[in-house]
Amino acid sequence: MVFDVEIWDDEKYDVTYPTITQALEVIKKGTLRMQRSITENVTIPKGSEIKLDLNGFTLTNMSGHTITNNGTLIIMDSLGDGKVDNITDEKAAIYNEEGGSVTLKSGLFTRSDEKSTSSMASGEKSTSSMAGGENSYSVLVNHGDMNIHDDVTVKIDGMVSPLILNGWEAPGESSPDSSADSAQDSSPDKKAILNIEGGVFSGGKENIENRYCGYAYIYGGTFQEGASDSILNYNVLQIENGRFTTTSENGTVLSNFKRNDDTCKGLVYVRNGDFTGGIQDKGDTIITGGYFSNLVPESAIPGGYKCESRNVGTASKYVVIKTQTTGDKPVYIGSGESMKISSPTAEQALTSITAQYGSSSLKLLSEEVRKEIDGLLSDDNVKKRVQNYTTEMSDNASQLEKPVSGITEAFKIGSFLNSNEGNTLYKNEARIFNISLT
C-alpha cells in the first residue's frame, strides 16, 4: 500500500495513512504532511486543529470542494511547488464554513480547469451559469475567518467568478454553491473576516469580492489581472497598502456599492497603496493616502485632504495627501486626548468643532456623529440606543456630563466608537469628541 500522508507531532514522525480523510478520523490536533500528490475531497471537522503541509505536492478534488473547513486549519508548503487545486464547476479549492478559521501561509491555490471566458459589468452577480455552463467558481470562499500570508499565490485564468469571495449572497439571490444553503443567509449577526498580509492574487472577474456581511482588511500584496475590478466591495473594506491593477479598459481598480445599513454598508477606507485604474464610489469611500493612475473622485476625499498630480519616478501619478491647514488638529482615540465642547444645541456643537479644529476632524464621523446627536432628541431613539449599548454604558460611565433624557452626546458617540462596528471600521483613526448640551 502507498501511504499518502504522514502524521507528525512536534516534528516527530508518528504514523502514516493512505488518505487525509482517514488520518482526520484519528487525529483532532496535529500536523499532516503529504507524501505524494492526492486526489481527494477533504473535510476538516468542527473542533479540529490541523496543520496541513503540502510538502511540494498537489491536492486535487474529486467532485466537491477540495477542502471544506469547519475547524481550525493552517496550510503551508515546506518544499515549494505545492498547491491546492479544484477542477469541478462551482466548487472551490478552499471553502471555509461559518465558524471555521483558515490560515494560508504558503502554497499555490488555483482552479486549473477554469474555462470561463466572458466578462461582465462591475457589480453584476457572478456564477458559472453566466458563462454558458462552463467550468467556473471562486478559488477561495470564506464565511468564517481567513488569513493569507506573503508566500501565498491565488490564481485562475477565468473572467466570470471572483478569485476570492468573502461573505454571503444577498437574501433572495440563489447561492453560487448549490451545496451550501446557508450561503443565502446574510443576517446582520453574521461576519466573514478576511485578512490579507500579502501574496499574489491573479485573475478572476475580480481579485476580491467582499460580499454581504464581509469584512476585508488588506495590508499588502499584488492584485492583478481582474477582468472587471481588482477589488469589489459591498460591506466593510480597509486597505492599508498593496498594488492593485485591472486588465479591463472599462473596468475599475476599486468599486464600492452600498445596498443597506446592516449587511451591505458600502464602507471603504484606504490609507495607502498603488492603484492603476478608475475608482467607482457608490457607497461611502474615504481615501486619505495612496498613488493613483486616475483622478480620485471628490466624494472619496475627506476634508483636510487633497488629490494632486505628482511625478513618481518616471510616471505621473495622482496622490492623496493631507493639506496643511491652520488649526486643523485631529484627536485620536487612545491618545489620551479629547476635546470638550459645551453648546446649547447639537448643531452649534458641530459648528464649534469645525471652527476650532477644521472640517477634516469631522469627515470620518460626520454622518455617524449627526445621527447619534439627532437620535438624542428623541426619547424613543435614546431608549433603543441604550438597549443596544448596554455593555458600553458601564464602560463609558466616566464620560457622562450633563444628562439628556438620561444620556449624553459624549456617551453616545463613545458608545458608537467602542461598538464592534465603530472599532472594526475606524480603529485608532476615529476622532472622538465629548459633547454636552448646556
Side-chain angles (χ1 to χ4, degrees):
M1 177 179 292
V2 177
F3 293 101
D4 290 344
V5 61
E6 297 176 344
I7 294 179
W8 286 70
D9 185 14
D10 294 329
E11 299 304 319
K12 182 179 179 181
Y13 167 73
D14 187 12
V15 67
T16 60
Y17 284 88
T19 67
I20 295 176
T21 299
Q22 287 179 278
L24 290 172
E25 290 175 355
V26 298
I27 184 174
K28 299 301 179 185
K29 182 177 181 179
T31 299
L32 305 181
R33 182 171 296 169
M34 291 173 56
Q35 294 302 298
R36 68 176 184 134
S37 293
I38 303 172
T39 299
E40 180 182 359
N41 299 335
V42 175
T43 297
I44 308 298
K46 185 176 181 180
S48 297
E49 297 180 23
I50 301 298
K51 294 180 181 179
L52 175 62
D53 184 357
L54 301 174
N55 200 29
F57 296 102
T58 299
L59 174 61
T60 307
N61 74 307
M62 294 184 66
S63 59
H65 302 303
T66 310
I67 299 178
T68 301
N69 179 59
N70 297 283
T72 299
L73 173 64
I74 298 173
I75 301 178
M76 68 195 83
D77 178 29
S78 59
L79 290 184
D81 296 327
K83 66 181 177 181
V84 179
D85 190 12
N86 191 286
I87 58 174
T88 303
D89 186 28
E90 296 196 359
K91 300 300 176 184
I94 306 289
Y95 194 99
N96 190 36
E97 295 279 15
E98 186 177 0
S101 174
V102 171
T103 298
L104 308 181
K105 288 192 170 182
S106 54
L108 169 64
F109 300 83
T110 188
R111 282 179 41 84
S112 63
D113 203 27
E114 183 83 13
K115 289 185 172 65
S116 59
T117 57
S118 57
S119 61
M120 297 176 295
S122 175
E124 191 174 355
K125 181 172 174 278
S126 53
T127 65
S128 63
S129 62
M130 290 191 171
E134 296 178 75
N135 187 347
S136 181
Y137 198 52
S138 298
V139 176
L140 307 179
V141 176
N142 180 47
H143 292 158
D145 291 338
M146 180 173 287
N147 304 286
I148 302 177
H149 291 204
D150 288 346
D151 294 330
V152 168
T153 298
V154 186
K155 181 179 180 179
I156 54 174
D157 293 326
M159 300 174 64
V160 170
S161 299
L163 184 69
I164 301 175
L165 179 62
N166 185 57
W168 287 266
E169 294 294 302
E173 291 184 356
S174 60
S175 167
D177 176 19
S178 57
S179 68
D181 295 334
S182 64
Q184 295 185 50
D185 185 359
S186 58
S187 58
D189 59 333
K190 290 182 177 292
K191 184 176 288 189
I193 300 176
L194 174 66
N195 291 294
I196 297 179
E197 300 291 339
V200 178
F201 307 87
S202 299
K205 178 172 175 278
E206 302 90 15
N207 298 140
I208 297 177
E209 182 176 342
N210 191 43
R211 264 288 188 177
Y212 286 65
C213 298
Y215 293 78
Y217 306 94
I218 301 174
Y219 301 95
T222 299
F223 302 80
Q224 59 194 16
E225 299 180 1
S228 178
D229 305 284
S230 180
I231 309 293
L232 172 60
N233 177 69
Y234 288 94
N235 198 40
V236 177
L237 167 69
Q238 181 171 314
I239 298 177
E240 297 289 329
N241 214 334
R243 184 176 294 274
F244 306 84
T245 61
T246 180
T247 59
S248 172
E249 292 183 3
N250 299 319
T252 55
V253 68
L254 172 62
S255 290
N256 182 34
F257 294 88
K258 178 179 180 179
R259 299 280 175 81
N260 60 54
D261 293 327
D262 297 319
T263 62
C264 184
K265 303 172 186 178
L267 298 174
V268 172
Y269 185 31
V270 178
R271 295 187 61 183
N272 202 358
D274 193 303
F275 300 81
T276 301
I279 294 176
Q280 185 175 200
D281 180 18
K282 293 187 177 181
D284 296 318
T285 301
I286 298 168
I287 299 177
T288 59
Y291 300 88
F292 304 85
S293 65
N294 295 23
L295 186 65
V296 176
E298 187 175 341
S299 62
I301 302 176
Y305 290 84
K306 64 181 179 179
C307 180
E308 64 180 27
S309 178
R310 288 187 177 181
N311 290 325
V312 180
T314 59
S316 177
K317 293 270 189 177
Y318 290 99
V319 296
V320 175
I321 58 174
K322 187 165 185 170
T323 57
Q324 301 297 321
T325 56
T326 304
D328 184 10
K329 182 183 178 183
V331 183
Y332 297 92
I333 292 176
S335 66
E337 299 176 303
S338 64
M339 177 180 64
K340 293 186 178 181
I341 294 291
S342 295
S343 299
T345 66
E347 187 62 35
Q348 289 183 24
L350 292 173
T351 301
S352 182
I353 292 172
T354 303
Q356 291 191 37
Y357 288 85
S359 61
S360 65
S361 297
L362 280 179
K363 182 60 180 181
L364 289 182
L365 289 175
S366 58
E367 286 191 14
E368 287 75 14
V369 170
R370 289 178 184 276
K371 287 179 182 178
E372 297 291 339
I373 292 177
D374 290 341
L376 294 172
L377 305 180
S378 165
D379 286 346
D380 290 339
N381 225 342
V382 170
K383 291 176 183 178
K384 182 178 180 180
R385 300 297 286 180
V386 170
Q387 291 174 354
N388 291 341
Y389 290 125
T390 301
T391 302
E392 285 81 0
M393 184 183 295
S394 60
D395 293 341
N396 293 279
S398 61
Q399 296 185 36
L400 296 176
E401 294 181 13
K402 182 177 179 179
V404 178
S405 299
I407 199 169
T408 69
E409 266 88 352
F411 167 67
K412 291 307 301 178
I413 297 172
S415 296
F416 172 79
L417 294 174
N418 285 310
S419 70
N420 289 334
E421 179 181 346
N423 185 57
T424 296
L425 179 60
Y426 297 110
K427 296 188 175 178
N428 290 334
E429 289 300 319
R431 278 66 167 165
I432 181 170
F433 308 103
N434 294 329
I435 305 171
S436 61
L437 298 185
T438 56

